[in-house]
Amino acid sequence: MSVKNISSAILGVGVDDTTIDLFESQYPVPTGVSYNSYIIRDEKTAILDTVDARATDEWMANVTEALAGEKPAYLVVHHMEPDHGANVARLAALYPEMQVVGNAKTFQYMEQFFGPEAIAKERRVVVKDGESLSLGAHTLTFVFAPMVHWPEVMVSYESTEKVLFSADGFGRFGAVAKFDEKADWASEARRYYLNIVGKYGPQVQALLKKAAALDIATICPLHGPVLTGDLSKYLNYYDMWSSYRAEEPEKILVASASIHGHTRAAAHTLADKLRAKGAKVVEIDLTRVDVSYAVTEAFRCGKTVLACATYDGFLFPPMENLLTHLKTKAFQSRTIALMENGTWAPMATKLMRAELEGMKNITVCDTVVTLRSASNPAAEAQMDALAEELLAK
């Protein structure tokens, strides 16, 4: 990325990171990720957020080009997570007359990352929820968004050009340069939201209510493309995801964790039986696919089949990992079917039920498929019964 004109006064100075393999050291990003940063040029020029330490040099070059010799009056910090706040102290040192804008928690975390002397107290502009900052022709109004997805997060609304600077909200995996605007924005926005922000649905709902009162023409997130045009589709996605509603209530995820392939084969047989009855089914092999994709599909679908082998008297770890992630992300209001395998002591159903009991509003089918090593006619009969029950839910 280089400097991009969002408008004549608002410039994008963010950076694409195409060499990163794991975002937050856990989420695969095959097309990279962007760290977005913005500059508003006015009587008082403001820089909005910095970038990850991986992208410092390119970002600094973009900032220098966009400033064109001017000195910034403000650095506005919407979010202190290191992929956005890593260069706060460096920029403050480079421009000693620049003031830094944040809320009380912003500066608390800033001190924790950089020490109490990095930003002198006389340089701090501590804002409260609903307060505004005039830059000249442009005015930023700050809207607090705690736990979307850190406690200090705030967004800002620029009223002249009707721009919402949305912090991590409406972000997306993928380098912006590789984003096809004709493609499905939701594909990687969905995985980003559900895995990173998914736990905080009520807080996102609160932010959406505040945003509904604003006349928004453009959304500038800290990851992914700038959003323009008909914004209702993006807002509708966020309303759905944060309400924990299934995008496709009748779609079924079949997720399997198989040691030697027998559980996987049986799960595939069940998936075929469901398809034969007209169901839309997606299959995921948890031993081969990163858990973030499985979490995404579990939230997307209204129904899920969990097929797991017993391992040392416990769940085979890929399934345990999925259930842990689902619980962490507040997975709820879905229908679940269970399939287990165990050569001498199948325990997976009991253990999966115990995990699901800790989740809200989960309906578990009465019928269970139990394999003893491999599928057989009795197990297939259980699959037929389970398919009927699941489709009737």
Side-chain angles (χ1 to χ4, degrees), residues 24-94:
E24 290 190 352
S25 301
Q26 60 178 319
Y27 303 114
V29 281
T31 58
V33 71
S34 69
Y35 313 115
N36 297 345
S37 171
Y38 304 95
I39 289 179
I40 302 176
R41 296 190 62 176
D42 207 321
E43 294 173 22
K44 295 181 178 180
T45 293
I47 300 173
L48 279 60
D49 299 294
T50 74
V51 300
D52 193 277
R54 293 172 54 91
T56 297
D57 292 343
E58 187 177 349
W59 174 71
M60 287 300 304
N62 288 347
V63 169
T64 300
E65 178 185 341
L67 289 175
E70 290 188 25
K71 293 183 178 180
Y74 300 109
L75 168 63
V76 177
V77 182
H78 293 102
H79 183 23
M80 268 304 300
E81 195 169 7
D83 54 329
H84 308 298
N87 286 283
V88 168
R90 176 172 178 161
L91 194 72
L94 184 63

Side-chain angles (χ1 to χ4, degrees), residues 18 46 140 196 204 209 224 301-302:
T18 57
L140 291 171
I196 293 176
V204 174
K209 287 184 175 69
C301 298

